[in-house]
Amino acid sequence: MGLVKERNEMEGVTKRRVCRVCESKKMHRFLVLGPMPLPNYFLKKEQFSSEVSYPLDVYFCENCHMVQLLDIVSPKIMFEEYYYTTGSSAPMTVHFNELAEDTIKKLNLKKNALIVDIGSNDGTLLKSFLQKGFKNILGVEPAKNIAKLANDDGVRTENEFFNNENALRLKEKYGSADLILGTNVFAHVDDLKSFVIGVKEFLSEKGTFVIEVPYLLHLIKNLEFDTIYHEHLSYFSIQSLDYLFKKYGMSIVDVENVKSHGGSIRVFVNNTDVKSEAVERMIDEENKMELNSFDTYLKFAEEVQNLKETLRKLLKSLKDKGMHITGYGASAKGSILLNYCKIGTETLDYISDTTPFKQGRYNPGMHIPIVPEEEFHKSPPDYAIILAWNYADAIMKKEENFIKNGGKFIMPVPKPRIV
Ligand code: TMP
Ligand code: ZN
């Protein structure tokens, strides 16, 4: 494993002392997953010795019930060079196309509307708007290499982190935004205050802010602990989002459930103070699930520990029978799962993955080789553990032949099982 330094003297990590939403000091830790390497940093062999692991501890705020990480790995380390491109994920490309279609309809957007995507990655979402005739678009993307990809591809992109200060500058340059999107970026933001105030300032009077974030309710219900990693600083419930936006004079006007990342929510926010029935209903459900009680999280942590033991036992019994096992899809979640459960090359021959960048490299921490999917087809294992479980249906459909020929898939969450 990588270099592990003392918690408080770690370079590149700052420790937050108060809740990210309400600034309360009453924070309680309920889960320790680290020390953990950054799950998206697929390594070359020569990088093994300089690999760094960071704390990955999860806290509950007694005051506003927000679930969050308090050890913040420097955004420079995490986002300035980024290896994940949205466009390389076919399901996400389809998802973003639907998001564009739905928001255009729902918000009745005019063709000249200024549409801003924060954390726009390679411009995949904005390309969907372009294709539908919306030309006034702007991406904001902190990763230099990825912002360049987007610009080269004709998606106007500013290479910077979004915050209040930058928002004012962007407004000066481009005018007010009619729609600001933040998909899978809001949970990455440490300084939510600056971000939300920036959005509020940048939005036109009737503008809408649309975010998509993984939903805490699903995380808890489905034991999706492997979606917890350093980039995801916040694990939102409607309750905590409602608290946050109200604090800065904004309102959640609608919420929809979406499928991506094991169950996310699409949240519509604007500068009015309209009350939404959907919001009330979902908060009721959260209270029924006791998302506001610390005991819920202690129980969750216990179940995570049990999952680790069950999965390790299952894999060991298969190895004892001489079975070949591989990993399918070198997802970030997979890195968390394998590191937390300490599953390495003694168990998995390789992890197959379709992403060219990952192929020929090794997964973080456990250093399992990543190979192209062709390898999986050429010499199929007896069992393959689905590490990109959010795509399980698509994967099992695609790998019909593997199953027909006697191959079996293992689903790691919420309960390790052979399918
Ligand atoms: P992500 O969930 O962190 O985006 O990672 C998903 C990974 O799974 C990504 O590297 C691509 C890979 N993958 C495959 O290798 N084969 C597939 O059929 C699918 C759907 C994903
Ligand atoms: Zn709080």
Side-chain angles (χ1 to χ4, degrees):
M1 283 263 271
L3 198 68
V4 184
K5 290 189 196 167
E6 275 299 310
R7 189 169 289 261
N8 287 323
E9 52 181 65
M10 262 206 87
E11 236 171 87
V13 181
T14 50
K15 179 101 186 179
R16 170 177 266 282
R17 303 280 162 201
V18 298
C19 171
R20 184 169 292 112
V21 165
C22 76
E23 289 165 63
S24 161
K25 282 190 186 138
K26 292 182 188 153
M27 307 293 293
H28 306 289
R29 186 170 76 179
F30 62 91
L31 182 62
V32 177
L33 293 172
M36 181 70 75
L38 297 176
N40 262 320
Y41 272 60
F42 293 84
L43 313 161
K44 296 182 191 150
K45 227 178 205 154
E46 59 269 26
Q47 294 171 311
F48 287 178
S49 60
S50 57
E51 188 176 23
V52 181
S53 289
Y54 299 96
L56 188 57
D57 301 349
V58 197
Y59 294 79
F60 172 75
C61 170
E62 192 183 311
N63 183 49
C64 77
H65 309 146
M66 162 83 167
V67 173
Q68 58 200 286
L69 308 185
L70 296 178
D71 300 281
I72 323 293
V73 179
S74 155
K76 269 194 185 312
I77 297 176
M78 287 196 289
F79 304 118
E80 225 167 51
E81 275 225 60
Y82 205 56
Y83 298 110
Y84 172 81
T85 53
T86 312
S88 66
S89 161
M92 282 315 276
T93 307
V94 173
H95 171 73
F96 281 148
N97 199 44
E98 285 167 5
L99 167 61
E101 226 162 76
D102 292 351
T103 38
I104 290 168
K105 231 189 267 160
K106 186 166 181 136
L107 303 174
N108 207 358
L109 281 181
K110 302 242 160 55
K111 282 276 154 74
N112 62 351
L114 175 60
I115 297 165
V116 179
D117 187 18
I118 303 174
S120 52
N121 199 276
D122 60 358
T124 301
L125 173 57
L126 288 175
K127 269 186 222 162
S128 289
F129 282 96
L130 280 175
Q131 280 155 11
K132 296 176 201 323
F134 292 80
K135 305 287 183 203
N136 194 11
I137 52 143
L138 174 68
V140 184
E141 168 55 47
K144 213 192 261 174
N145 57 329
I146 301 221
K148 184 175 182 312
L149 277 181
N151 275 314
D152 290 350
D153 229 10
V155 180
R156 184 171 66 176
T157 302
E158 293 274 2
N159 175 215
E160 60 192 34
F161 282 97
F162 185 84
N163 54 31
N164 187 16
E165 207 175 292
N166 289 346
L168 292 177
R169 224 177 19 74
L170 292 172
K171 184 177 169 179
E172 191 101 322
K173 189 165 167 191
Y174 297 100
S176 293
D178 300 291
L179 169 63
I180 300 182
L181 298 144
T183 56
N184 302 312
V185 64
F186 205 57
H188 295 182
V189 177
D190 183 30
D191 191 347
L192 283 175
K193 180 177 178 179
S194 170
F195 194 97
V196 172
I197 292 176
V199 165
K200 192 178 161 71
E201 296 285 332
F202 197 178
L203 270 185
S204 68
E205 202 188 328
K206 292 209 166 124
T208 307
F209 179 39
V210 179
I211 56 172
E212 280 190 7
V213 287
Y215 189 22
L216 177 67
L217 188 93
H218 294 296
L219 190 160
I220 298 298
K221 223 185 198 166
N222 304 323
L223 212 61
E224 297 167 355
F225 77 96
D226 51 351
T227 62
I228 298 175
Y229 44 89
H230 314 83
E231 292 167 22
H232 300 157
L233 300 175
S234 303
Y235 301 85
F236 291 108
S237 59
I238 311 285
Q239 244 165 97
S240 55
L241 284 171
D242 190 51
Y243 192 110
L244 173 71
F245 286 116
K246 276 201 183 121
K247 192 167 170 193
Y248 301 106
M250 298 182 84
S251 295
I252 303 179
V253 288
D254 202 6
V255 185
E256 294 171 0
N257 282 294
V258 287
K259 271 206 190 129
S260 49
H261 293 289
S264 298
I265 38 177
R266 184 180 297 167
V267 184
F268 296 79
V269 183
N270 68 21
N271 286 324
T272 65
D273 57 359
V274 177
K275 259 212 160 31
S276 146
E277 219 176 282
V279 175
E280 308 269 303
R281 197 168 7 91
M282 286 176 85
I283 291 180
D284 276 351
E285 198 188 335
E286 290 175 2
N287 287 334
K288 263 186 221 136
M289 281 280 298
E290 298 187 27
L291 288 191
N292 47 8
S293 155
F294 188 53
D295 282 347
T296 302
Y297 301 93
L298 289 176
K299 195 166 145 254
F300 174 80
E302 206 178 292
E303 284 170 9
V304 171
Q305 175 72 30
N306 291 341
L307 182 145
K308 173 185 187 164
E309 278 153 29
T310 313
L311 181 61
R312 286 182 56 86
K313 246 188 235 157
L314 171 67
L315 295 176
K316 186 172 180 303
S317 74
L318 295 175
K319 283 312 275 187
D320 286 349
K321 286 184 206 145
M323 297 294 152
H324 277 282
I325 314 174
T326 65
Y328 197 103
S331 62
K333 309 178 189 59
S335 301
I336 301 298
L337 182 92
L338 298 175
N339 277 279
Y340 176 71
C341 298
K342 301 218 163 22
I343 297 164
T345 49
E346 76 297 327
T347 307
L348 301 185
D349 298 351
Y350 59 75
I351 301 171
S352 61
D353 194 284
T354 49
T355 317
F357 172 79
K358 295 180 185 174
Q359 296 161 2
R361 292 184 180 238
Y362 296 80
N363 93 318
M366 303 315 292
H367 302 165
I368 302 164
I370 314 295
V371 304
E373 211 165 70
E374 290 75 55
E375 183 80 22
F376 175 83
H377 295 136
K378 241 191 305 175
S379 50
D382 302 297
Y383 290 84
I385 176 165
I386 299 185
L387 299 172
W389 49 253
N390 47 325
Y391 302 128
D393 290 345
I395 289 169
M396 287 195 276
K397 209 161 152 200
K398 189 164 104 184
E399 301 299 349
E400 245 174 10
N401 273 338
F402 169 68
I403 297 170
K404 234 186 250 158
N405 295 329
K408 294 211 161 60
F409 281 114
I410 299 168
M411 273 294 273
V413 296
K415 205 175 158 51
R417 64 189 195 281
I418 296 165
V419 288

